Amino acid sequence: MEYLSIENAMKQAKGNVKIRGWVYRERGSNKLRFIIIRDSTNIIQCVFEKDTFQERFEELKNVQIETSIEVEGIIKKDERAPSGFEINATNFKVIGESANFPIQKDQSQELLNDNRHLWLRSRKMNAILKVRSTIFGAIHEYFRSQGFYEFHSPTLQSTQSEGGSDVFEVKYFDTKLYLAQTWQLPAEAGIFSLENIYTIAPSFRAEKSKTSRHLTEYWHAEMEMAWADFDTIISHGEGLLKHVVSKVLETNKKELEFLERELDDLTATASKPFVRMTYTDALKILKEKCNLEVEWGKDLRTVEEDELSKLYNTPIIVTHYPKKVKAFYMKESANDTVLGCDFIAPKCYGEIIGGSQREENIDEIKSRLKEQGEDPKDYEFYLDTRRYGSVPHGGFGLGVERIITWICGLDNIRDSIPFPRTMVRYYP
Ligand code: ATP
Ligand code: MG
């Protein structure tokens, strides 16, 4: 007889079934043991009666949490059981013992972080990781359906693209390289071959501040397009988020329910046009509606992004930031602004996408590099993209863990990735 997943056994709903998994909870008396088993799909209560098992019943007393086990028995509906079904066991086989699983009642954050490799088995992580998998799939799906090619850039890079303070240096034989903060500079060379390209790859940032939004290693979904104007770039950001959120709503109802996620902003994101405003308008709204005064030219801080996000239930697209708060490659626009945009998530989840139209003027790029203390000589390969057949182009980067954190409604970005990396956490 074939093993069924718990989910499929429950679909079968009656008759004989054979399942396998890990002990999630166990309790009982001298006559009866209740063992809840989990697999990747669900949990189910199994009942073991002394009358059925006779002397083998003693074996069950050693079956502790996280023991791996196979169980055969008769499944039936039971409203009182945790997942609405129960298996009356007729046979079982212990596969791997488990003594004193380190995660018991005490679930302090520190303990869970130290035992991350074991905490992955929790129902919470199981739900988040399923949503995460949907999101990665949906990103690939969106770009491929829009005619983008997947393109790969090096993780070991010779230039620092996003500026100095948060870059990781790597000793590379007799020289020094940097871990990629973004794929962008090599990607700008790639569009001259493939025109529309995307990737999902790790980016690295030596974030020294402890926030609930920053990892030092995160997955970055990035796109770059030849012949594209600012509006096209923004529309793809909106289209991508709508597709991802719709896909999760369609695929992960059960997980969102388990995570107790209220869906108002997610359904709005999937169905309504996003709010758009310029940076200058954002300052006006912050002053009028939130009583927050920001001097023109200062970047929006977390508090300001959060207050703005409370006013709407879709992401907000803020455009035309002051030139001096944005990266050297963004195209200049009127009044000392650039054609750059940030997408801010609803419900105080912060920036989820940063994008821009790219500057084409080579002299402008060189002078902005110098202003940032960089030597344009180190960027010769990049400057070639402006020398040989330059075209209008642009792109954006989306922090995949940022949207997982938002979509799952998590308190901290740490729980959106299996093994989080922060300044203080790199084991396990
Ligand atoms: P922030 O101001 O929040 O640090 P940023 O301006 O440094 O973000 P970008 O350089 O525009 O971010 O990177 C593109 C996207 O990558 C961001 O919109 C965000 O979603 C994500 N991101 C940036 N830094 C991190 C990080 N340390 N951990 C997780 N995601 C990040
Ligand atoms: Mg940053």
Side-chain angles (χ1 to χ4, degrees), residues 132-144 148-153 155 180 182-183 187 197-204 218-224 240 243-244 396-401 403-404 417:
R132 181 180 168 97
S133 176
T134 303
I135 290 175
F136 273 77
I139 295 170
H140 283 291
E141 224 171 64
Y142 177 80
F143 283 119
R144 284 165 182 266
F148 285 71
Y149 292 100
E150 188 170 351
F151 176 80
H152 301 107
S153 62
T155 294
T182 162
W183 83 328
I197 56 177
Y198 82 99
T199 198
I200 315 180
S203 273
F204 300 87
Y218 71 97
W219 287 79
H220 207 170
E222 299 189 82
M223 66 87 106
E224 196 71 30
L240 173 63
H243 180 71
V244 167
F396 64 71
L398 168 150
V400 184
E401 284 77 16
I403 64 167
I404 298 170
I417 184 166

Side-chain angles (χ1 to χ4, degrees), residues 155-172 176-182 202-208 215-218 421-426:
T155 294
L156 291 167
Q157 297 190 351
S158 56
T159 54
Q160 334 177 353
S161 4
E162 292 287 309
S165 67
D166 66 359
V167 69
F168 282 110
E169 294 181 2
V170 181
K171 187 175 166 334
Y172 190 76
K176 188 172 73 185
L177 293 180
Y178 308 98
L179 292 183
Q181 296 160 298
T182 162
S203 273
F204 300 87
R205 309 230 172 149
E207 308 279 3
K208 287 180 197 81
L215 296 165
T216 50
E217 174 177 354
Y218 71 97
R421 294 288 176 257
T422 66
M423 191 163 124
V424 294
R425 177 61 63 182
Y426 35 83

